[in-house]
Amino acid sequence: MINKLVSTGNALLTFPGRTAKRFPVQVTAVIAALILGTGGAAFAVAALGPDASELPVHQVLESVPTLPLNAATDLNIQSFDLFRSDVTRSSDTADTLLGRLGVDDAAAAAFIRSNALARQALLGRSGRNVTAETGDNNSLVKLSARWSPEDNGNFNRLVIEKTASGFQSRIEVAALSASTRLASGTIQNSLFGATDEARIPDSVATQLSEIFSGDIDFHRALRRGDRFSIVYETLEGDGEPLRAGRILSAEFVNNGKTFQAMWFQDPAAGTGSAPMSTGSRTADSRSKGGYYTLDGQSMRRAFLASPMEFSRITSGFGMRFHPILQTARAHQGVDYGAPIGTPVRSVGDAVVDFAGVQNGYGNIIILKHRNNYKTVYAHLSRINVRKGANVSQGQVIGAVGATGWATGPHLHFEYRINGVYRDPAAVSRQAESVPVAASSRSAFARLAAENRIALAAAASLQQSGAD
Ligand SMILES: [Zn+2]
């Protein structure tokens, strides 16, 4: 059972270049249904995905439902050799794309070059799933491509079909279907290295770091051997993952300490503010849910552990830059290596105490929080706020630079409590947790029990995978 789950996970999470052998989709859907029950998670869409900013639809001829899973499965397995799937690349020409799809058909290539719908949907774009059906001599019978340009629950499907009078194209619109995925990994060198290995989309990796951002400074505190397990939503079109959705629950073991979190939409919270959103612009501000520990405490803290959002860029940059700066003996603060221009965010709600230039600090912002807490952000290339302004936790206040006495682009960050420097990691861990409302506790407990099972299943993926 577990082995089957492993191979299923691997097959499922493969994005590019795979053939159209799809039956694992069904297996996993069944497993997920068993684990999560039916009423578990609400359908949720996050504004993620590789081409969220792509072109709008140019022409809509008809609306059709998503292919039923069984139909797609049977079709592809019976005529396995005739179907091939790949992903578009921005450098693609009609010939290179068809070539990867095993199509050898000059008329089809000419059609793609000359037909507006086909050209716009396929050429000069990266990351679109394309499936080709070929006939005799690798001629093209039918080609379809899927993408989800907007966060509206739908996806577009380009269909090119050979007819008696030559090739024809059309664009269809169909509904995305949500499925739940389990993933897990162990960190060897970086979080993104581990999520790449587990074929987890970047947007999900970023959500993971945001969910635990009150507990773990992902720029500085990660250790080799740290482990994570994630249960998250994927939005699919024709069985292909087109958008990453929200993390439903997650576990992170950092330096031997286990943290767990789950998404919960508190019915008692009404239209109040969310305890903690997914943290980034991708957060779904329309719903009032938030992340909680499985014991029912909000994951939100008075302070974030890091003044920069964790990303592939900051992660890679910091790894190289960090050791050089740590040699400064009397250094009171934490340095984050990052490219110039990387957004800097307030770690907590505050009033701007100072925004301007100070000798060695270069461009510097000092924020004043409650209880005589201050935070310092120095060497900035840009300052977005003015003295006296109110800023909220997570708000972008400036950008990384190399002003003042900086040996290279980095953010110098300090906590000062009553004027005395403090270790940021220790400060951010001081939790100000908000519990789930009493009236929601039974609903919360039910969902938490489901999430415990799902997380255990996700963790078992990896353990058996390591054998
Ligand atoms: Zn410094």
Side-chain angles (χ1 to χ4, degrees):
M1 172 68 177
I2 284 174
N3 282 337
K4 206 173 273 173
L5 202 58
V6 170
S7 61
T8 298
N10 286 340
L12 247 184
L13 294 166
T14 304
F15 258 75
R18 70 183 171 89
T19 51
K21 191 177 168 188
R22 287 236 193 84
F23 63 88
V25 172
Q26 197 179 12
V27 176
T28 298
V30 170
I31 290 170
L34 285 174
I35 292 170
L36 297 172
T38 47
F43 187 87
V45 184
L48 309 172
D51 50 6
S53 59
E54 297 286 348
L55 279 186
V57 188
H58 286 267
Q59 189 183 352
V60 175
L61 297 181
E62 56 183 313
S63 245
V64 299
T66 311
L67 280 176
L69 216 44
N70 290 342
T73 304
D74 296 340
L75 200 62
N76 288 331
I77 289 173
Q78 280 164 18
S79 47
F80 180 72
D81 289 336
L82 298 180
F83 286 82
R84 201 175 291 183
S85 290
D86 211 299
V87 175
T88 58
R89 302 172 185 172
S90 56
S91 60
D92 265 337
T93 63
D95 292 310
T96 60
L97 178 61
L98 290 177
R100 286 204 307 285
L101 291 165
V103 178
D104 181 12
D105 188 331
F111 180 80
I112 290 174
R113 279 192 293 269
S114 63
N115 178 264
L117 279 185
R119 206 174 55 229
Q120 284 169 0
L122 297 174
L123 303 183
R125 315 209 157 266
S126 60
R128 290 191 176 175
N129 298 284
V130 186
T131 305
E133 178 186 353
T134 51
D136 294 342
N137 301 318
N138 299 319
S139 63
L140 183 66
V141 175
K142 183 177 177 180
L143 180 148
S144 61
R146 289 154 294 278
W147 68 98
S148 176
E150 282 183 78
D151 182 10
N152 62 1
N154 291 331
F155 71 100
N156 296 343
R157 185 193 296 123
L158 166 79
V159 180
I160 298 174
E161 244 171 336
K162 190 169 199 168
T163 68
S165 55
F167 287 104
Q168 287 186 352
S169 69
R170 65 179 183 274
I171 286 185
E172 303 166 344
V173 176
L176 290 163
S177 56
S179 75
T180 303
R181 305 228 167 167
L182 314 180
S184 63
T186 299
I187 292 170
Q188 299 300 332
N189 295 305
S190 72
L191 177 62
F192 283 101
T195 52
D196 284 349
E197 185 132 325
R199 300 189 181 92
I200 294 165
D202 279 12
S203 58
V204 173
T206 305
Q207 283 183 58
L208 180 69
S209 67
E210 288 299 316
I211 289 167
F212 294 108
S213 62
D215 296 297
I216 304 166
D217 179 349
F218 279 78
H219 289 104
R220 305 181 71 243
L222 293 190
R223 298 284 179 273
R224 179 162 299 180
D226 280 0
R227 303 190 309 276
F228 58 84
S229 305
I230 313 176
V231 180
Y232 67 100
E233 284 184 322
T234 291
L235 304 178
E236 299 179 342
D238 297 340
E240 298 281 354
L242 298 182
R243 277 181 181 274
R246 172 183 287 146
I247 288 183
L248 301 175
S249 60
E251 175 179 283
F252 204 102
V253 182
N254 173 233
N255 206 10
K257 189 169 184 210
T258 301
F259 300 90
Q260 290 183 323
M262 61 178 259
W263 174 262
F264 182 66
Q265 202 160 334
D266 191 340
T271 55
S273 64
M276 180 182 172
S277 70
T278 46
S280 58
R281 295 159 302 288
T282 61
D284 186 358
S285 56
R286 289 158 299 183
S287 66
K288 300 302 175 191
Y291 287 96
Y292 292 81
T293 67
L294 269 55
D295 302 331
Q297 299 291 317
S298 166
M299 294 296 287
R300 183 182 171 124
R301 300 282 187 273
F303 294 104
L304 301 173
S306 168
M308 289 190 310
E309 185 176 63
F310 189 75
S311 72
R312 192 177 280 277
I313 292 168
T314 60
S315 142
F317 202 92
M319 286 286 182
R320 293 195 308 275
F321 197 71
H322 187 240
I324 304 167
L325 291 156
Q326 288 307 304
T327 57
R329 263 272 179 78
H331 185 247
Q332 294 202 316
V334 174
D335 291 319
Y336 295 90
I340 287 180
T342 303
V344 172
R345 63 186 182 181
S346 166
V347 293
D349 296 343
V351 175
V352 179
D353 197 40
F354 183 88
V357 181
Q358 284 183 8
N359 228 357
Y361 286 117
N363 293 326
I364 179 175
I365 298 171
I366 301 175
L367 300 182
K368 195 170 151 188
H369 309 273
R370 281 183 299 161
N371 302 329
N372 289 320
Y373 280 48
K374 287 186 180 176
T375 50
V376 176
Y377 313 75
H379 308 312
L380 303 172
S381 62
R382 197 181 67 230
I383 290 177
N384 296 359
V385 292
R386 287 194 186 164
K387 183 178 165 72
N390 288 301
V391 297
S392 53
Q393 185 178 62
Q395 183 179 334
V396 173
I397 55 174
V400 171
T403 55
W405 302 337
T407 54
H410 74 284
L411 171 68
H412 171 98
F413 176 68
E414 289 177 27
Y415 268 105
R416 292 174 188 165
I417 302 175
N418 292 317
V420 179
Y421 168 76
R422 294 292 174 85
D423 175 22
V427 175
S428 66
R429 272 198 296 274
Q430 295 178 336
E432 277 186 17
S433 288
V434 183
V436 172
S439 57
S440 304
R441 290 216 181 112
S442 62
F444 184 91
R446 273 198 303 278
L447 190 59
E450 290 174 5
N451 275 307
R452 276 180 224 278
I453 294 168
L455 282 174
S460 73
L461 275 178
Q462 192 195 14
Q463 278 159 16
S464 66
D467 290 341

